[in-house]
Amino acid sequence: MHNPKLSPEARGLMRARLDIAYDGSPFNGWGIQPGVRTVQGVIEEALFMIVRRPVRLTVAGRTDAGVHARGQVAHLDFTPAEWDGLRRGHDEVSELSLQRRLNGALGRVLGELHGSVEIVRASVAPTGFDARFSALWRRYSYRIADGCTRRDPLQRALTLWHPRELDVALMNQAVAPLLGLHDFAAFAKPREGSTTVRTLQRLDFEQDDDGVINLNVQADAFCHNMVRALTGAALMVGEGRESPDWMNQRLVAGIRDAKSVLAAPHPLILEEVHYPHETAMHERAVLTRTRRVPTETIKAPLGAGI
């Protein structure tokens, strides 16, 4: 039997990277769950149609139900025979064939939802690549139209229509102290055995000329519900229900209570996952697997990378 702790190369396997985009509206999130439709579930069903065996994807970041992606990344492993067998036609390389055939199979799996999941690119992964642990950061966007902004019906599926006016300056003031390495237990739904320590690299709100507010948020990784929890708290500050220092107070105290409100999922988009140079993939994966600890424990400066 193969030792799963060995690298795919050591096990004689070929690792492929998939760049994926999807409309999360009709899915119950990324991760497979019994009895419900998920993005991972439909892609793995499509892969089964191609390689005729169960395939398990490893993803850069598990998105919640209703959350979308333009830049999701996943990996999977093939035997050399499976990889060579992907080709159809003498001039086609396996990567292009995998992308084309997987999108075709997804069309059959999705039926009337055809087009809601798209394999943007398939490629041979660099040595040591891990879609989850090799990532340097993930970046999300979130679109808000507040109570004094004209609502565009054509953007309703990707925009939060907030009923009250929001003060963008107050929201940015509130989130600024959260940048850097912190324990985000106050803004996360904890998973058993997982840490809530993260490095938040960017979190700001920008208002377009048409009045729409765009949230930009980037971190080395995100806890479960973290972006929606941060957004929900910032909205409370923006409409004047809480003071600008309230979010930092909750962060320091690790408070999760009735005021911990999640913003709606439908405007949230995973825009990009960024990786190091291909020669540093393995080292990054090893470093990321090292368990994160709070700033106070390791005495790291704000903004330090993990």
Side-chain angles (χ1 to χ4, degrees):
M1 295 180 64
H2 293 304
N3 183 350
K5 294 183 179 181
L6 295 176
S7 68
E9 295 82 10
R11 288 181 282 146
L13 300 176
M14 172 74 73
R15 177 156 292 182
R17 167 176 167 165
L18 299 179
D19 290 75
I20 309 165
Y22 49 85
D23 172 3
S25 303
F27 299 98
N28 200 43
W30 167 269
I32 287 180
Q33 302 173 55
V36 295
R37 182 191 289 116
T38 67
V39 180
Q40 181 182 7
V42 297
I43 298 176
E44 291 186 1
E45 185 177 347
L47 283 165
F48 183 85
M49 296 170 66
I50 296 172
V51 298
R52 299 300 178 184
R53 67 169 174 86
V55 176
R56 182 49 49 94
L57 293 168
T58 297
V59 72
R62 292 165 59 99
T63 49
D64 295 341
V67 176
H68 319 288
R70 287 193 181 97
Q72 181 67 278
V73 179
H75 78 247
L76 67 157
D77 296 329
F78 294 95
T79 66
E82 288 172 341
W83 184 251
D84 292 339
L86 291 171
R87 293 196 296 270
R88 289 291 184 269
H90 297 294
D91 298 327
E92 190 169 26
V93 297
S94 296
E95 300 96 298
L96 293 176
S97 185
L98 174 59
Q99 179 189 9
R100 179 181 57 78
R101 294 182 63 190
L102 187 48
N103 279 325
L106 276 168
R108 296 191 291 276
V109 170
L110 290 167
E112 63 182 13
L113 294 176
H114 185 199
S116 58
V117 180
E118 182 77 10
I119 307 304
V120 178
R121 181 171 180 259
S123 57
V124 177
T127 300
F129 176 81
D130 185 292
R132 178 184 177 190
F133 290 111
S134 294
L136 290 173
W137 45 260
R138 291 89 168 156
R139 179 173 63 87
Y140 284 84
S141 68
Y142 195 98
R143 179 182 167 91
I144 306 164
D146 68 2
C148 63
T149 301
R150 180 178 177 273
R151 295 176 175 179
D152 182 356
L154 300 183
Q155 294 292 331
R156 69 190 184 283
L158 297 175
T159 307
L160 176 67
W161 285 358
H162 192 73
R164 288 170 287 279
E165 183 177 357
L166 297 170
D167 188 319
V168 174
L170 287 180
M171 294 163 73
N172 282 324
Q173 183 181 343
V175 300
L178 278 62
L179 295 177
L181 179 62
H182 301 286
D183 187 337
F184 286 90
F187 301 100
K189 184 177 180 181
R191 296 183 187 273
E192 185 176 355
S194 298
T195 178
T196 50
V197 175
R198 297 290 187 269
T199 300
L200 188 61
Q201 300 164 343
R202 179 181 182 183
L203 178 59
D204 56 71
F205 297 86
E206 299 176 331
Q207 195 158 24
D208 292 343
D209 292 340
D210 60 3
V212 172
I213 300 167
N214 294 286
L215 165 65
N216 303 285
V217 56
Q218 178 179 306
D220 60 337
F222 290 95
C223 307
H224 188 205
N225 290 154
M226 180 174 163
V227 177
R228 292 171 59 200
L230 289 168
T231 306
L235 290 172
M236 295 178 71
V237 174
E239 62 183 53
R241 294 168 61 189
E242 300 292 344
S243 65
D245 61 351
W246 175 70
M247 290 184 67
N248 190 46
Q249 291 171 359
R250 292 174 72 81
L251 176 77
V252 173
I255 296 173
R256 292 187 75 250
D257 55 23
K259 290 186 176 181
S260 300
V261 178
L262 298 180
H266 68 275
L268 185 58
I269 302 173
L270 173 57
E271 297 283 0
E272 182 183 5
V273 182
H274 187 68
Y275 294 92
H277 187 270
E278 62 182 30
T279 58
M281 292 292 185
H282 175 70
E283 289 78 6
R284 174 61 185 177
V286 171
L287 189 61
T288 305
R289 284 187 174 93
T290 302
R291 185 175 177 86
R292 299 176 179 90
V293 293
T295 310
E296 293 77 14
T297 302
I298 65 175
K299 305 300 181 183
L302 293 184
I306 295 182

